[in-house]
Amino acid sequence: VQLQASGGGLVQSGGSLRLSCAASGFPLDYYAIGWFRQAPGKEREGVSCISSSDGRTFYVDSVKGRFTVTRDNAKNTVYLQMNSLRPEDTAVYYCATERGVPDCRSGTYYRPIHYDWWGQGTQVTVSS
């Protein structure tokens, strides 16, 4: 069982990136997938979540209107489209899931403690 985040890189402020979270060893379409990020010296924070049963999505306020999470079950992959990037978006981005849970916890999806399968992160750096 593995999750792998990819697609990070260096981009100028205002630019865009699309991150991918690929799953192997399990069918991702039965699980909610959360996106998190961790900047140097800061705690890991939730960014977004997408449910599996109805595709419902959740975003923290700091990324609403700029980030979009989608899933392609045929490719066993979840994407995080990030537009209008800001220097404060610079962080290592991770995807994660909670075993046996198909939908995002509507009130607490952003809390890392709920997730027990984590992928390796991908670095996103936004220059000013």
Side-chain angles (χ1 to χ4, degrees):
V1 173
Q2 188 175 11
L3 288 170
Q4 180 64 57
S6 62
L10 173 63
V11 64
Q12 289 187 333
S13 182
S16 299
L17 284 172
R18 188 178 78 159
L19 305 184
S20 299
C21 175
S24 59
F26 71 100
L28 188 146
D29 52 345
Y30 291 109
Y31 295 81
I33 298 295
W35 281 98
F36 295 81
R37 64 187 181 186
Q38 188 166 18
K42 295 187 177 181
E43 293 187 353
R44 190 168 297 187
E45 63 173 355
V47 173
S48 180
C49 186
I50 183 167
S51 295
S52 66
S53 64
D54 57 5
R56 191 176 178 190
T57 57
F58 299 82
Y59 303 93
V60 295
D61 287 345
S62 60
V63 307
K64 278 181 182 176
R66 301 189 299 122
F67 290 12
T68 303
V69 60
T70 58
R71 61 196 310 149
D72 185 337
N73 291 334
K75 295 184 178 180
N76 222 27
T77 301
V78 168
Y79 302 98
L80 184 68
Q81 178 67 43
M82 306 186 297
N83 299 328
S84 301
L85 283 163
R86 305 166 180 169
E88 54 263 39
D89 295 318
T90 295
V92 177
Y93 283 71
Y94 302 86
C95 57
T97 190
E98 183 179 3
R99 278 176 288 181
V101 178
D103 293 325
C104 306
R105 296 173 180 259
S106 60
T108 59
Y109 67 91
Y110 53 88
R111 293 180 181 173
I113 194 171
H114 293 310
Y115 298 78
D116 45 19
W117 285 348
W118 289 84
Q120 290 185 330
T122 185
Q123 175 71 48
V124 172
T125 303
V126 184
S127 62
S128 57

